[in-house]
């Protein structure tokens, strides 16, 4: 088994994820895994970073596929006995003018952004070593979508006692409500991406609380963050930040020094804790 430290970034064959891997290759004192659902796209991204003199490693990971997640889990357990840094970056968004029915957009978006990210956490968080760092890439859109929820939903999503099961139920209810055409009547905002990212931010708050309760003394720090508005295939060329600039806050959270005891369980933007 390797004694090396290890970092894993999901959805890192392009965009912000690729920039996070690039920065970690330069700054993280251990092995850095670029992961991609498509091995061809992943290997091409590895080759691109190798051209820059960097040495990322590669592992396949489709966060929609539990078998793929478990294969990565087993690999990390057997080769490294766990992991030190996990960046949950993989995500999708329908374009604004996409004509796919809203209920389909809701199901597909929630499947990857919320349920896929949750499955990665379920399988990999138990492997995170003491002083580990976990970063869940959410979005400021989670905050605006939260403000667009009914008072009752806002109260639930801001609650310090909401459980993971309750959150999963609520995310499932959103999808079902869109199918029945009643999501707005039920207090949801009209954004599938926004609701999926509410899920990611609230999941992070819950997971941080569970770490406090179950692994006190392990000094693991887990946070959600927004990378900003970043020029990628997702956000388009008009966005204000380069992928490298978008990687700054996630990388800051991934590399919080071992002496740090905060931030933890927070929503962080521009390296600053934001109110939820
Ligand atoms: P992007 O350029 O579209 O990249 C998304 C990455 O996620 C790609 O590598 C994609 O792989 C991967 N991915 C999608 N579904 C996956 C799955 N099921 N399993 C594994 N990987 C999957 O988007 P980005 O702008 O870099 O976004 C990265 C993260 O930042 C996302 O979570 C996004 O919501 C968040 N974010 C972005 C912005 C922004 O302005 N760009 C703002 C706020 C938050 P493929 O190449 O195979 O599709």
């Amino acid at each position: 088994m390797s004694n090396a430290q290890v970092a894993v970034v999901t959805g890192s064959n392009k965009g912000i994820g690729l920039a996070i891997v690039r920065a970690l290759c330069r700054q993280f004192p251990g092995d850095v895994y670029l992961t991609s659902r498509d091995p061809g796209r992943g290997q091409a991204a590895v080759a691109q970073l190798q051209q820059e003199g960097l040495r990322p490693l590669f592992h396949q990971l489709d966060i929609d596929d539990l078998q793929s997640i478990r294969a990565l889990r087993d690999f990390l357990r057997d080769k490294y006995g766990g992991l030190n840094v996990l960046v949950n970056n993989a995500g999708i968004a329908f374009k604004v003018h996409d004509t796919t029915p809203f209920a389909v957009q809701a199901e597909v978006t929630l499947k990857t952004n919320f349920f896929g990210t949750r499955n990665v956490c379920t399988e990999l968080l138990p492997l995170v070593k003491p002083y580990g760092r976990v970063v869940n890439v959410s979005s400021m859109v989670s905050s605006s979508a939260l403000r667009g929820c009914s008072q009752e939903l806002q109260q639930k999503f801001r609650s310090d006692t909401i459980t993971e099961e309750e959150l999963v139920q609520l995310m499932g209810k959103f999808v079902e409500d869109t199918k029945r055409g009643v999501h707005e009547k039920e207090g949801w905002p009209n954004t599938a991406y926004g609701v999926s990212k509410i899920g990611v931010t609230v999941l992070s708050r819950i997971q941080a609380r569970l770490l406090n309760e179950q692994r006190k003394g392990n000094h693991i720090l887990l946070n959600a963050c927004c990378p900003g508005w970043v020029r990628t295939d997702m956000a388009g060329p008009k966005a204000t930040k380069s992928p490298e600039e978008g990687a700054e806050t996630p990388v800051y959270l991934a590399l919080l020094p071992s002496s740090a005891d905060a931030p933890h369980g927070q929503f962080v933007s521009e390296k600053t804790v934001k109110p939820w």
Side-chain angles (χ1 to χ4, degrees), residues 22-175:
R22 180 182 283 115
L24 289 179
C25 282
R26 293 185 177 133
Q27 298 174 55
F28 177 73
D31 292 350
V32 181
Y33 278 84
L34 185 155
T35 68
S36 171
R37 55 181 159 182
D38 180 85
R41 287 198 287 276
Q43 295 291 2
V46 166
Q48 185 188 333
L49 293 182
Q50 283 172 344
Q51 292 271 316
E52 299 171 21
L54 302 172
R55 292 281 169 269
L57 299 163
F58 175 74
H59 203 283
Q60 194 272 347
L61 176 65
D62 181 345
I63 71 166
D64 289 346
D65 176 359
L66 202 49
Q67 277 193 1
S68 167
I69 298 172
R70 288 182 173 157
L72 175 64
R73 176 201 64 189
D74 293 347
F75 169 79
L76 291 167
R77 192 191 49 213
D78 296 347
K79 176 149 189 196
Y80 297 95
L83 80 163
N84 305 89
V85 169
L86 171 63
V87 182
N88 280 304
N89 164 81
I92 59 160
F94 282 82
K95 301 287 180 216
V96 179
H97 297 297
D98 195 299
T99 54
T100 305
F102 188 66
V104 177
Q105 295 198 18
E107 182 152 45
V108 171
T109 307
L110 273 280
K111 180 181 174 172
T112 300
N113 293 5
F114 177 72
F115 291 103
T117 300
R118 175 184 181 241
N119 285 341
V120 173
C121 290
T122 303
E123 300 299 331
L124 295 191
L125 284 190
L127 261 64
V128 173
K129 294 184 178 181
Y131 296 94
R133 305 292 182 240
V134 181
V135 185
N136 295 332
V137 180
S138 184
S139 170
M140 285 305 271
V141 174
S142 69
S143 302
S144 51
L146 179 67
R147 290 192 294 274
C149 288
S150 65
Q151 284 305 320
E152 191 189 339
L153 279 175
Q154 287 192 37
Q155 204 176 10
K156 287 182 180 166
F157 289 133
R158 290 200 174 101
S159 157
D160 289 328
T161 52
I162 184 173
T163 64
E164 193 167 324
E165 290 67 33
E166 286 165 343
L167 176 63
V168 165
Q169 268 190 5
L170 282 167
M171 292 290 116
K173 181 175 185 304
F174 169 69
V175 175

Side-chain angles (χ1 to χ4, degrees), residues 194-212:
V195 171
S196 77
K197 292 300 192 181
I198 289 177
V200 173
T201 302
V202 176
L203 182 67
S204 309
R205 288 161 54 88
I206 295 168
Q207 288 167 339
R209 210 175 66 215
L210 290 177
L211 284 169
N212 291 344

Side-chain angles (χ1 to χ4, degrees), residues 7 9 15-29 32 85-89 133-137 223-227 243-257 268 270-271:
V9 184
I16 298 164
L18 178 61
I20 293 171
V21 168
R22 180 182 283 115
L24 289 179
C25 282
R26 293 185 177 133
Q27 298 174 55
F28 177 73
V32 181
V85 169
L86 171 63
V87 182
N88 280 304
N89 164 81
R133 305 292 182 240
V134 181
V135 185
N136 295 332
V137 180
N223 292 285
C225 71
C226 178
E244 280 59 46
E245 289 166 332
E248 278 176 24
T249 291
V251 169
Y252 152 75
L253 292 171
L255 297 179
L256 285 169
V268 180
E270 306 296 339
K271 301 186 190 171

